[in-house]
Amino acid sequence: MTRDNIYQTLETIISEYLPEDVSKESITLQSNLTNELNINSSHLVDIVLDVEDAFKIALTNDDMETMQTVGDVIQIIEQKTT
Amino acid sequence: MKTQSKDIRVVVTGLGVVAPNAIGKVAFTNAIQKGTSGIRFIEELKTLNFSCQLGGMPQVSEELKNKYFTELELKNFNSEGILYAVIAGMDAWKDAGLNVEHNAVDHSSGTVFGSGNLGVAKFRESIHKIDTGNVRRLGSTSVQQTMSSGASAYLSGKLGLGNMVTSNSSACTTGAEAIILAYERIVAGKASRMLAGSTSDGGPYVWGGFDALRILPHNFNDRPKEASQPLSATASGFVPGCGAGAMVLETLESALSRNAPIYAEIAGVALNSGGQQNGGSMTAPNSIAVQACIKEALIDAGITGKEIDAINGHLTATAKDPEEVLNWSKALDRSGADFPYINSLKGMTGHCLSASGSIEAVAIVLQLKEGFIFPNINCEKIHPDILNIVAADRIPRKRIEKTLKYVMKASFGFGDVNACIIFKRKNNDTR
């Protein structure tokens, strides 16, 4: 899977959890999920589950702790899918 | 028991309802005036070998859901009790002319929104995941959808309520108790406005225990609309239901100052328990306590039993209906042709359990506001023991157009708990 493909799938997942006043266009590789995109921290749990389902991988608690930005998530997905 | 001073008067300024026979104030008014039944055959109950395969379930469309919840809130959402509560609660708030598009917290407004058990379908879904070792796959919302305070928690966020936010629970007394607790908080001067209501989940996992108790009708599966027969000679058990009812209570002063619609006033209330003594048990009421509760509400309102124009009973359509009528007769000291009009909504909705008291209270307030008494349906032949106590014309089988001043409500619940509320038609000084 290319980085572009991963990004597109991840963007779709993340956009479901954005607050109403944050648009999908605000998502960049550097965006911090909670601080910048204002995603409720409890929803990180749901994003992890959606990522697991979409990429058929399993994420550990340690993986979750390193997931700060969109780029971090992509990096973890790349590691797990190769 | 000491009566409290009534320096603060409390009025009803908004209504919301999600009932098996109608959703929303206007549709519900129409349904109860016509005597429309909301009881349906439920295929799932048949598949699961229930004796009673009937239920009263509000028909909530996806379109309606989307008006009250965001797409994100509905993701993995599976709690009917919260769904019903949010629709009824937000409708009541809007009906009272209050803002639902809040952007600030209001510390003078709170809620008591009760439930019996909540989010049962979500809880079941979670249990299956946990039992297969997948606790980590529950997602982020299984707590909020199954906690017993879920209804009040969702509503406080949607309405910006900053006073007391809680959910009471007292079985089938829950709805009436919620109104009483909210009323008492306002009378105590601790809040100027409270959203009072209750909700109940439905379906096999809530109703199964009652089916097992053999207190539901099992001979009407092919005639759902005839199954629930309060006060009737042929009553054979209660039809289970679910839904939510809600009303905005506030000080008369607050209502007048913001020119709010005033539906009715709460004149007096009482709560007690029979302590499961003197014939009372976990599942049956102590009649002495029921009568005491009715009398205490009269004292609280400062009126006598002679002044009650109509009663909305608990009257579930079990063998206990005649005993309840006798308790009313003794407590009010009225019988025969002198007995007040008496009706039960459960013929149309079934017994909505923890939501029954609040849904029925909405019906009473509508009766006072519009000047009518809704009909008792499925009561062609009144129970002979009841006819020994009250005259047949006191049990309207057709709608009666009548201006009412005082209407009294009672709810009773498992655990031998009782609640009574006296609603009063608005006066000239309440505009």
Side-chain angles (χ1 to χ4, degrees):
Chain A
M1 193 177 284
T2 67
R3 182 165 254 248
D4 266 1
N5 284 340
I6 293 175
Y7 184 85
Q8 274 167 20
T9 306
L10 184 60
E11 188 186 49
T12 307
I13 291 172
I14 289 173
S15 60
E16 285 191 56
Y17 297 95
L18 293 175
E20 282 175 343
D21 56 351
V22 179
S23 74
K24 192 176 173 181
E25 285 66 44
S26 344
I27 303 174
T28 68
L29 270 180
Q30 288 73 39
S31 308
N32 184 294
L33 296 169
T34 51
N35 297 343
E36 284 164 20
L37 297 177
N38 282 333
I39 292 171
N40 183 324
S41 60
S42 70
H43 282 315
L44 291 182
V45 165
D46 301 311
I47 291 176
V48 164
L49 296 180
D50 289 355
V51 165
E52 288 187 341
D53 290 342
F55 298 98
K56 305 205 166 30
I57 55 174
L59 299 174
T60 64
N61 290 350
D62 289 341
D63 291 332
M64 208 175 144
E65 276 161 29
T66 60
M67 286 168 39
Q68 304 286 325
T69 65
V70 174
D72 295 339
V73 185
I74 289 178
Q75 210 174 355
I76 291 167
I77 295 169
E78 282 176 337
Q79 282 166 15
K80 302 257 175 181
T81 50
T82 50
Chain B
M1 199 153 296
K2 190 172 163 283
T3 52
Q4 57 205 342
S5 71
K6 292 284 175 58
D7 298 336
I8 297 174
R9 290 169 61 186
V10 178
V11 291
V12 179
T13 56
L15 299 175
V17 62
V18 177
N21 60 348
I23 297 171
K25 181 184 75 177
V26 175
F28 184 66
T29 306
N30 188 36
I32 65 172
Q33 285 189 332
K34 286 188 178 148
T36 308
S37 168
I39 309 300
R40 293 174 182 83
F41 172 74
I42 296 176
E43 189 72 42
E44 187 186 13
L45 300 177
K46 184 182 181 187
T47 310
L48 293 172
N49 302 319
F50 273 55
S51 295
C52 174
Q53 298 159 6
L54 309 172
M57 270 195 166
Q59 307 291 295
V60 182
S61 66
E62 290 302 310
E63 191 191 352
L64 189 67
K65 263 188 208 179
N66 290 324
K67 284 185 187 161
Y68 296 83
F69 292 88
T70 64
E71 210 178 315
L72 178 54
E73 284 173 325
L74 288 175
K75 198 172 152 68
N76 300 319
F77 183 80
N78 195 10
S79 175
E80 279 169 8
I82 292 173
L83 172 68
Y84 304 149
V86 165
I87 296 174
M90 289 184 75
D91 278 1
W93 208 249
K94 272 182 275 187
D95 189 44
L98 295 161
N99 193 0
V100 292
E101 303 294 329
H102 73 95
N103 48 18
V105 57
D106 172 11
H107 288 295
S108 65
S109 297
T111 185
V112 179
F113 217 104
S115 62
N117 35 29
L118 196 67
V120 170
K122 186 70 185 178
F123 201 42
R124 175 174 183 264
E125 186 189 300
S126 303
I127 287 168
H128 283 158
K129 285 183 181 158
I130 292 165
D131 284 352
T132 50
N134 283 313
V135 63
R136 59 186 296 281
R137 301 222 32 115
L138 290 187
S140 69
T141 60
S142 78
V143 175
Q144 71 205 40
Q145 289 187 56
T146 61
M147 61 188 191
S148 54
S149 59
S152 58
Y154 269 79
L155 280 163
S156 75
K158 288 184 174 292
L159 303 175
L161 306 177
N163 199 280
M164 180 170 77
V165 171
T166 191
S167 295
N168 63 307
S169 191
S170 52
C172 303
T173 305
T174 301
E177 184 185 67
I179 294 167
I180 294 174
L181 296 177
Y183 164 81
E184 287 177 341
R185 185 151 180 97
I186 297 172
V187 171
K190 293 184 176 178
S192 55
R193 190 177 301 115
M194 295 291 289
L195 177 65
S198 66
T199 186
S200 180
D201 277 45
Y205 308 105
V206 179
W207 298 338
F210 297 105
D211 200 68
L213 277 168
R214 316 287 161 105
I215 51 176
L216 313 185
H218 58 272
N219 287 328
F220 290 87
N221 291 335
D222 56 343
R223 292 168 288 157
K225 292 186 188 330
E226 297 167 35
S228 182
Q229 308 188 344
L231 297 161
S232 160
T234 48
S236 60
F238 77 78
V239 176
C242 55
M247 55 180 62
V248 176
L249 304 183
E250 62 186 298
T251 62
L252 175 60
E253 190 187 2
S254 162
L256 291 176
S257 74
R258 62 181 195 85
N259 220 8
I262 295 176
Y263 286 90
E265 182 170 353
I266 293 188
V269 300
L271 283 171
N272 78 0
S273 165
Q276 301 176 40
Q277 310 296 319
N278 304 108
S281 68
M282 181 60 80
T283 57
N286 167 348
S287 287
I288 296 164
V290 167
Q291 292 168 34
C293 192
I294 295 167
K295 287 179 188 167
E296 193 186 321
L298 290 170
I299 292 168
D300 193 48
I303 62 172
T304 70
K306 301 284 174 210
E307 292 177 77
I308 300 297
D309 296 307
I311 294 164
N312 179 262
H314 187 61
L315 300 171
T316 62
T318 66
K320 292 285 176 193
D321 286 4
E323 188 178 320
E324 178 182 337
V325 174
L326 185 62
N327 285 332
W328 281 110
S329 175
K330 286 182 176 170
L332 300 177
D333 192 22
R334 293 173 65 180
S335 59
D338 174 52
F339 196 77
Y341 288 108
I342 184 166
N343 62 8
S344 170
L345 190 69
K346 293 181 178 80
M348 298 181 222
T349 59
H351 184 357
C352 297
L353 306 171
S354 55
S356 63
S358 58
I359 293 173
E360 290 159 19
V362 169
I364 295 171
V365 171
L366 289 168
Q367 287 189 148
L368 280 165
K369 174 80 169 27
E370 306 291 336
F372 71 97
I373 302 171
F374 68 74
N376 291 292
I377 69 166
N378 301 323
C379 188
E380 281 73 31
K381 193 167 182 292
I382 299 169
H383 196 289
D385 294 349
I386 294 173
L387 282 178
N388 285 336
I389 310 165
V390 308
D393 73 337
R394 302 288 93 187
I395 300 172
R397 268 70 59 79
K398 287 204 166 77
R399 181 179 79 232
I400 293 177
E401 305 295 332
K402 185 172 170 59
T403 302
L404 305 162
K405 188 171 179 192
Y406 289 106
V407 180
M408 195 158 185
K409 161 94 204 120
S411 290
F412 314 122
F414 274 19
D416 200 5
V417 288
N418 309 311
C420 256
I421 307 172
I422 300 172
F423 290 96
K424 185 187 179 188
R425 185 181 171 79
K426 65 172 186 170
N427 288 337
N428 289 336
D429 68 339
T430 48
R431 285 187 209 162

